[in-house]
Amino acid sequence: MVVELNPFSLTVLGCSGSFPGPDSACSGYLVRGGGVSVWLDAGSGTMANLQRHVSLHDIDAVVLSHEHPDHCSDIEGLRVACGYVVERVGVPVYATAGVGRHLFPDFKTVLDWNVVTDGDDVEIGGLSLRFSRTDHPPETLAVRIDAGDRSLAYSADTGPGWSFEALGPGIDLALCEATYLADEEGPDSSHLSARQAGAMARDAGVERLVLTHVWPVIDRNESMDEGSSAYGQAVTMAETHAEYEI
Ligand SMILES: [Zn+2]
Ligand SMILES: [Zn+2]
């Protein structure tokens, strides 16, 4: 019998867009695969949920897509925990340059801080990461994560001027922001509607689509219907603590 010791998986730590809702923290995910555990985005409330799935001693790296608080504010909690309680120095963090400008001054003495930008490649254990600048101010990085022959892509925050196509073909699971519904679409939008997310993922040929970063005031059933219709097959709405195998 073959036992799979380390499947490639995505666990949702929070999926509310822009601000936390009554039932969900902001954006944050746990990616496990290639022998490592990576905390992908650290929006408010996600550090609490993270510890339901993995010990702070066992986080191998943190990846932060951009400096908006709904994607990075809980890195401050990790800094305090590692500096004073858990006593771990040098947890690698990969973040855009902007994230560091907003943090408490001693973060670089506690964490192993690495600035990443568009087109960078990073190896974390057996995971290969590739970053792509999205259509969202300030500098925001989507990421493709490959483990063996399987591939996860995360849009971070983006407007309609970016596509999963920028991360290449063969995406098995795409985690895409779908902040609102089609009635909020506008020419200068820096987010996607569920319709736009579905259409973009369809055009990029992604195998499975999970919608996240949904404003807490949006009707999730409407979002699912709108996204599924545009995608051409059923989308999955991200739910806190749900785990998806890639
Ligand atoms: Zn956001
Ligand atoms: Zn943002």
Side-chain angles (χ1 to χ4, degrees):
M1 189 175 78
V2 176
V3 177
E4 183 62 78
L5 291 175
N6 193 268
F8 188 21
S9 68
L10 168 75
T11 303
V12 178
L13 307 176
C15 51
S16 278
S18 306
F19 62 99
D23 301 314
S24 175
C26 286
S27 287
Y29 311 92
L30 173 63
V31 178
R32 288 183 278 203
V36 293
S37 297
V38 176
W39 182 9
L40 173 60
D41 269 354
S44 53
T46 58
M47 184 170 165
N49 291 338
L50 174 76
Q51 294 167 84
R52 296 259 300 262
H53 300 278
V54 64
S55 159
L56 296 180
H57 291 279
D58 295 328
I59 290 295
D60 296 291
V62 185
V63 174
L64 302 173
S65 66
H66 67 302
E67 66 202 79
H68 284 157
D70 60 314
H71 295 258
C72 69
S73 64
D74 274 14
I75 194 67
E76 293 283 19
L78 184 70
R79 176 187 62 77
V80 171
C82 287
Y84 301 100
V85 185
V86 178
E87 296 186 353
R88 281 192 75 190
V89 172
V91 175
V93 179
Y94 301 91
T96 56
V99 177
R101 289 197 283 269
H102 300 280
L103 298 183
F104 206 77
D106 74 349
F107 68 97
K108 283 185 178 171
T109 64
V110 177
L111 303 166
D112 173 18
W113 201 261
N114 302 275
V115 172
V116 287
T117 192
D118 185 42
D120 281 356
D121 292 304
V122 169
E123 302 286 324
I124 303 172
L127 299 179
S128 301
L129 286 69
R130 161 69 60 94
F131 295 98
S132 170
R133 168 92 205 242
T134 72
D135 174 23
H136 185 76
E139 183 186 20
T140 300
L141 298 176
V143 62
R144 174 178 178 138
I145 304 178
D146 288 297
D149 62 353
R150 305 297 289 174
S151 182
L152 162 71
Y154 169 49
S155 69
D157 282 0
T158 189
W162 178 87
S163 163
F164 284 118
E165 288 175 351
L167 292 170
I171 295 169
D172 295 295
L173 189 152
L175 177 64
C176 191
E177 80 123 282
T179 303
Y180 37 61
L181 299 170
D183 58 5
E184 295 271 358
E185 291 174 14
D188 301 319
S189 298
S190 56
H191 289 290
L192 297 175
S193 67
R195 185 196 71 79
Q196 289 170 318
M200 185 265 276
R202 180 201 61 214
D203 291 347
V206 308
E207 192 66 28
R208 182 178 179 192
L209 178 61
V210 178
L211 298 184
T212 190
H213 196 278
V214 178
W215 279 345
V217 297
I218 296 292
D219 182 324
R220 289 168 56 85
N221 288 326
E222 239 182 289
S223 180
M224 183 167 62
D225 289 346
E226 188 181 292
S228 299
S229 172
Y231 184 44
Q233 55 179 302
V235 302
T236 301
M237 299 301 292
E239 285 185 39
T240 306
H241 299 301
E243 181 175 329
Y244 311 107
E245 199 163 323
I246 297 153

